[in-house]
Amino acid sequence: AGSLPAERRDTFTFEMTAGDLAASLKGVSGSAVSRVTPIYSTALIELTGKSVAFTTTDGVMSIIRTADTLVAEGAGRAAIPTETLEKVIARIPPAAVVVVDITDGDMTLTCGEIGYSFAGMSANDFPPISADRGAESFEVDAADLHRAIARVKGSMYTGDSRQAILGVCIRSAPGGLVGVGATDGSTAARTYIPGPGGIDVAVPPAAIDAIIRHLPKKGPVELHVSEHQIGIETPNFHFSSLVGGMKFAPYEALIAPKDGAVIVRSAKADLVSALDRISVVSGESVGLVITTDGGRMTIETEFRALTAAASGSIGYEVVPCHSEGRAVAGVTSSYLLRPLRATTSEEVEMHIHRDAIYLKSTDGDDIVMGRRVVFASKEDI
């Protein structure tokens, strides 16, 4: 029997500045992470004309970035391990021009008197990147998407036991809007971005973290959403992630004012300043007690409110407000500070109930901090 033919491995070369090459590699970092499956620790480098594309994947998420070269010869692709390559490139002056030479799938990097070689892997073994087939697609401003995720991320569930509320829910709402929401079962948050109907997907925490890290800061992006995949695309960037196909629990019942709640309105700046100061002595995760009565909102550490002896620091703040009655509720400063810092509203409306605090900002965000809040149906979680 004859031996199998040797695999053909491509040969090509291109030049670009070290800064552009470093930015391209950093822009796809985070997906190439596996030491168990070495091909997942590589970047697929593909040269077409004068454009070079860098692709990484971990089998679930994938990132593609394209950049223009200064000089290019040939065409092809090669799978090059990224960890050491990134470290070398980061130590070359950004304005210096580097020459990347791929010969039979292996890489040589030169810059003046500097030269390094990197053994490539089989480009044919690089996992295929799935397209966003069957997805609803719509355009959204990157800054709006960043803000939406920042406003709800503090309520995102990241554990293992409640898969139906894991990550962030992106779900169509009436009036040409798409709700971006999250809940951990006792606190929840929701805001809106413009978008079409037919969207209903749960995005896992790892994909949310990758979107925050790699999404452009501003400008229009194309968002692709299907039952099993989410993708974000610009002319030189493409991110996609599998999402598992599980429906997010109907958490909307939690995002609603409670009957019998006391409505309190306050300036956001006053509330944030008070919470910032009191969190210095209480910590952002230690309980606070909020009491409203007439035109005063008192925020105090739990030890002080309970008149209990405490070895640590205690404190209280009084914030001007407009209140329709007296109410008392417990909360932690982090639950309020995270969404308050993200909202652009100058005034917030709080519905204070013995079981929850519902906070609504004038720019359309809904936030709920609950102590004994449950879903409408136990089957949902």
Side-chain angles (χ1 to χ4, degrees), residues 22-62:
S24 297
L25 291 170
K26 184 178 180 180
V28 295
S29 65
S31 290
V33 295
S34 176
R35 297 182 183 276
V36 177
T37 308
I39 195 66
Y40 286 146
S41 296
T42 68
L44 183 67
I45 301 175
E46 300 180 89
L47 181 66
T48 305
K50 291 191 68 174
S51 176
V52 60
F54 300 84
T55 303
T56 59
T57 184
D58 63 1
V60 175
M61 293 185 293
S62 63

Side-chain angles (χ1 to χ4, degrees), residues 278 280-283 286 300-304 310-316:
I278 204 165
V280 172
V281 298
S282 69
V286 174
E300 50 197 329
T301 54
E302 195 170 25
F303 287 142
R304 181 181 187 277
S311 57
S313 301
I314 60 175
Y316 73 97

Side-chain angles (χ1 to χ4, degrees), residues 57-79:
T57 184
D58 63 1
V60 175
M61 293 185 293
S62 63
I63 303 170
I64 305 172
R65 284 191 180 271
T66 59
D68 292 330
T69 63
L70 299 172
V71 177
E73 273 186 45
R77 60 185 196 149

Side-chain angles (χ1 to χ4, degrees), residues 46-177:
E46 300 180 89
L47 181 66
T48 305
K50 291 191 68 174
S51 176
V52 60
F54 300 84
T55 303
T56 59
T57 184
D58 63 1
V60 175
M61 293 185 293
S62 63
I63 303 170
I64 305 172
R65 284 191 180 271
T66 59
D68 292 330
T69 63
L70 299 172
V71 177
E73 273 186 45
R77 60 185 196 149
I80 306 296
T82 57
E83 186 175 5
T84 305
L85 175 60
E86 281 189 72
K87 293 176 181 178
V88 170
I89 292 294
R91 287 163 173 77
I92 298 176
V97 175
V98 296
V99 179
V100 176
D101 184 75
I102 304 292
T103 302
D104 293 333
D106 297 328
M107 178 177 176
T108 299
L109 176 76
T110 56
C111 178
E113 299 299 315
I114 299 171
Y116 290 87
S117 296
F118 303 90
M121 299 185 68
S122 170
N124 292 335
D125 291 338
F126 197 85
I129 306 301
S130 58
D132 303 311
R133 295 187 179 91
E136 292 283 346
S137 298
F138 61 100
E139 188 177 279
V140 62
D141 188 86
D144 290 342
L145 187 55
H146 269 295
R147 281 194 295 269
I149 293 173
R151 290 174 183 184
V152 306
K153 191 172 184 291
S155 299
M156 181 174 69
Y157 179 71
T158 59
D160 297 322
S161 61
R162 296 180 172 184
Q163 292 299 306
I165 58 172
L166 183 68
V168 168
C169 176
I170 301 179
R171 180 178 289 159
S172 293
L177 297 173

Side-chain angles (χ1 to χ4, degrees), residues 284-309:
E284 289 198 4
S285 60
V286 174
L288 302 175
V289 174
I290 294 180
T291 306
T292 65
D293 196 356
R296 294 163 57 91
M297 180 194 305
T298 304
I299 305 171
E300 50 197 329
T301 54
E302 195 170 25
F303 287 142
R304 181 181 187 277
L306 297 175
T307 63

Side-chain angles (χ1 to χ4, degrees), residues 176-364:
L177 297 173
V178 170
V180 179
T183 181
D184 62 8
S186 62
T187 177
R190 179 180 58 191
T191 188
Y192 297 96
I193 57 175
I199 305 295
D200 190 355
V201 64
V203 185
I208 290 296
D209 291 340
I211 289 171
I212 293 171
R213 187 166 61 250
H214 295 290
L215 180 68
K217 299 302 180 186
K218 59 182 180 180
V221 298
E222 194 76 14
L223 191 59
H224 309 278
V225 181
S226 68
E227 183 181 357
H228 297 285
Q229 192 168 18
I230 184 169
I232 296 172
E233 189 171 4
T234 69
N236 63 350
F237 165 77
H238 185 274
F239 166 85
S240 64
S241 175
L242 300 177
V243 295
M246 179 173 287
K247 295 292 186 182
F248 203 88
Y251 72 103
E252 286 81 2
L254 186 59
I255 306 285
K258 299 290 182 181
D259 292 338
V262 174
I263 299 175
V264 182
R265 295 179 181 86
S266 175
K268 186 194 84 168
D270 292 342
L271 193 52
V272 169
S273 295
L275 289 166
D276 260 334
R277 284 189 294 268
I278 204 165
S279 66
V280 172
V281 298
S282 69
E284 289 198 4
S285 60
V286 174
L288 302 175
V289 174
I290 294 180
T291 306
T292 65
D293 196 356
R296 294 163 57 91
M297 180 194 305
T298 304
I299 305 171
E300 50 197 329
T301 54
E302 195 170 25
F303 287 142
R304 181 181 187 277
L306 297 175
T307 63
S311 57
S313 301
I314 60 175
Y316 73 97
E317 294 270 348
V318 176
V319 178
C321 69
H322 179 272
S323 172
E324 298 181 1
R326 186 177 188 278
V328 180
V331 72
T332 65
S333 59
S334 61
Y335 279 170
L336 285 172
L337 276 172
R338 290 171 187 167
L340 283 171
R341 285 169 176 157
T343 185
T344 58
S345 176
E346 293 183 358
E347 184 181 75
V348 293
E349 181 178 285
M350 301 171 67
H351 297 231
I352 300 180
H353 188 271
R354 63 181 179 84
D355 287 336
I357 295 178
Y358 167 86
L359 187 152
K360 186 174 184 65
S361 63
T362 55
D363 61 358

